[in-house]
Amino acid sequence: MSLSVGDRAPEFNLPDQDKQVVSLADLRGTPVLLVFYPFAFSGICTGELCQLRDELTNYTDAGVTVLAISTDPVFSLKAFKAQENLDFTLLSDFWPHGAVAQAYGVFNEKAGMALRGTFLVDADGAIAFAEVNGPGDAREQSGWKDAVAALAA
């Protein structure tokens, strides 16, 4: 079961592409956009994250920290970030495999991957926006932008 608007965002500590641990608790006081995606280097995921890269100022100008999370190992994330010139942090939910995706209700256990879940966490740690798309369904990112604008207003 996925999280809904108003729910408390589950805390996590995950390594980024450089093996540095990122904690959601350490970001309290700042809105955070969590973008779960199935796999680095896959077609739809690459398109979505490159669009996010190209439109990143929509989020950063509003004071939002963007974190993209997959079940890929850190080494894949480092190569993916470099290849696609991504300007935001990629987090590895590799081990325990998919534990954070499970906590957010977006883990596909059969495939061992995260679904396309998007969550905007407000500065107090509550979910302000939640959307989950299936494995083959690309996200329409206008909903995220509207949620960020509403949070910033």
Side-chain angles (χ1 to χ4, degrees):
M1 179 105 184
S2 181
L3 297 172
S4 300
V5 171
D7 289 346
R8 191 101 186 121
E11 297 293 339
F12 60 78
N13 297 295
L14 289 174
D16 69 8
Q17 68 283 335
D18 297 317
K19 300 185 202 171
Q20 300 302 306
V21 175
V22 174
S23 169
L24 185 61
D26 289 346
L27 297 171
R28 192 71 63 238
T30 304
V32 179
L33 183 68
L34 303 175
V35 181
F36 288 88
Y37 64 101
F39 298 113
F41 298 105
S42 62
I44 293 173
C45 296
T46 299
E48 287 181 336
L49 295 184
C50 286
Q51 180 182 349
L52 186 57
R53 173 201 64 207
D54 295 345
E55 299 173 355
L56 190 61
T57 57
N58 290 318
Y59 308 100
T60 57
D61 287 354
V64 175
T65 299
V66 175
L67 301 174
I69 305 171
S70 75
T71 57
D72 295 302
V74 294
F75 309 104
S76 295
L77 297 181
K78 188 170 185 78
F80 185 48
K81 181 172 179 150
Q83 178 177 306
E84 300 303 334
N85 197 28
L86 301 175
D87 297 335
F88 47 88
T89 302
L90 304 181
L91 298 178
S92 174
D93 191 15
F94 183 72
W95 198 257
H97 196 70
V100 175
Q102 288 175 38
Y104 279 79
V106 295
F107 187 68
N108 180 327
E109 200 164 310
K110 256 188 181 173
M113 66 181 193
L115 298 173
R116 295 176 201 288
T118 311
F119 302 92
L120 179 60
V121 180
D122 70 17
D124 297 321
I127 303 291
F129 173 85
E131 177 181 70
V132 179
N133 295 64
D137 298 330
R139 292 175 262 216
E140 172 51 54
Q141 296 184 18
S142 63
W144 315 353
K145 292 176 199 159
D146 293 345
V148 166
L151 197 62

